[in-house]
Amino acid sequence: MSKILFVVTGADSWTLADGTQHPTGFWAEEAVAPYEAFRAAGHEVVVATPGGVVPTVDRASLAPEVNGGEENAGRIANALESFIELRSPLRLEDVRLDDYAAVFYPGGHGPMEDLAVNADSGRLLARALESGLPLGVVCHGPAALLAAVGADGGNVFAGYEVAAFTNAEEVQGGLADRAKWLLQDRLTEAGLTVRTGEPWAPHVVTDRNLVTGQNPASSAPLAEELLKRLG
């Protein structure tokens, strides 16, 4: 049984352009769907967060309207309760990458607040990329890629094709005009090529050892792609 590292945001709010704090955290489906897939395949999951703080679920991600109705919202909430590894995360600063067979980053707006500027996460991502370790990142999780800066000052993911939460989805979600910056724009500025799919539909992009997904619906297919790489 292999260990898979989940790097999860420690932020519980996202600072908007006007300075107000928008409640957030990690997005439930984006953590639950891969967790269930990895555990069903016999792998162990270990969670790490900046400072080892217990991560906060974005309460909006538990609503029936974003989970296809009451029944699935209840299933997601119950699955989250069973995800006991979230209750005792490692400190991201102390993670030994050699202990893991793959790395996964779920989204939610939280990574826009902390992982986008977290040097420890950036170094871990750069090492994972260089080592060829399977690396999965979904939705707003690719904000963490922005912190992966090489010795030359450039982003180590420059030139990679990725999927990430799009400007169109941020507009439809109602927060684009209040955000300090948009993820699709910032990734493009860093030299990555964002391949966009239809809003809210599953869309996964694979480039070398990096597997990325556009939105919550992409979480399960992304997990399946990562599992193929674990053999």
Side-chain angles (χ1 to χ4, degrees):
M1 181 171 66
S2 300
K3 286 185 181 179
I4 299 177
L5 179 68
F6 270 50
V7 180
V8 182
T9 177
D12 60 8
S13 62
W14 177 35
T15 307
L16 300 176
D18 64 0
T20 60
Q21 301 294 307
H22 179 74
T24 189
F26 68 88
W27 198 261
E29 181 182 358
E30 294 168 19
V32 165
Y35 176 76
E36 291 181 327
F38 298 150
R39 293 291 292 151
H43 299 293
E44 179 182 348
V45 169
V46 177
V47 173
T49 63
V53 301
V54 175
T56 298
V57 64
D58 188 324
R59 304 306 299 180
S61 70
L62 300 175
E65 55 266 29
V66 299
N67 287 295
E70 291 280 357
E71 183 176 348
N72 196 53
R75 191 195 72 76
I76 292 286
N78 288 336
L80 203 56
E81 285 297 314
S82 300
F83 192 163
I84 58 174
E85 294 86 349
L86 287 167
R87 303 175 198 168
S88 53
L90 301 178
R91 284 166 34 95
L92 180 57
E93 304 89 310
D94 299 336
V95 164
R96 286 172 36 88
L97 192 60
D98 292 345
D99 294 339
Y100 302 97
V103 179
F104 174 72
Y105 279 64
H109 280 107
M112 301 274 281
E113 185 74 15
D114 61 352
L115 297 179
V117 293
N118 186 287
D120 293 300
S121 174
R123 283 189 289 269
L124 184 147
L125 286 165
R127 290 201 308 272
L129 188 68
E130 184 179 11
S131 71
L133 207 64
L135 175 58
V137 194
V138 69
C139 200
H140 287 93
L145 305 184
L146 297 170
V149 178
D152 62 356
N155 192 288
V156 302
F157 292 94
Y160 277 72
E161 294 188 350
V162 297
F165 201 71
T166 63
N167 290 357
E169 287 166 321
E170 205 74 82
V171 168
Q172 291 175 25
L175 287 169
D177 61 349
R178 300 177 62 196
K180 287 183 178 180
W181 48 272
L182 299 180
L183 180 56
Q184 181 181 340
D185 291 346
R186 192 62 66 86
L187 289 170
T188 302
E189 291 164 5
L192 289 75
T193 299
V194 181
R195 298 296 184 197
T196 61
E198 288 298 314
W200 314 109
H203 179 59
V204 174
V205 172
T206 298
D207 189 345
R208 289 157 275 187
N209 58 315
L210 177 64
V211 185
T212 49
Q214 181 170 311
N215 46 37
S218 306
S219 304
L222 185 154
E224 291 305 317
E225 192 62 38
L226 273 188
L227 284 171
K228 292 177 188 175
R229 292 158 179 265
L230 291 172

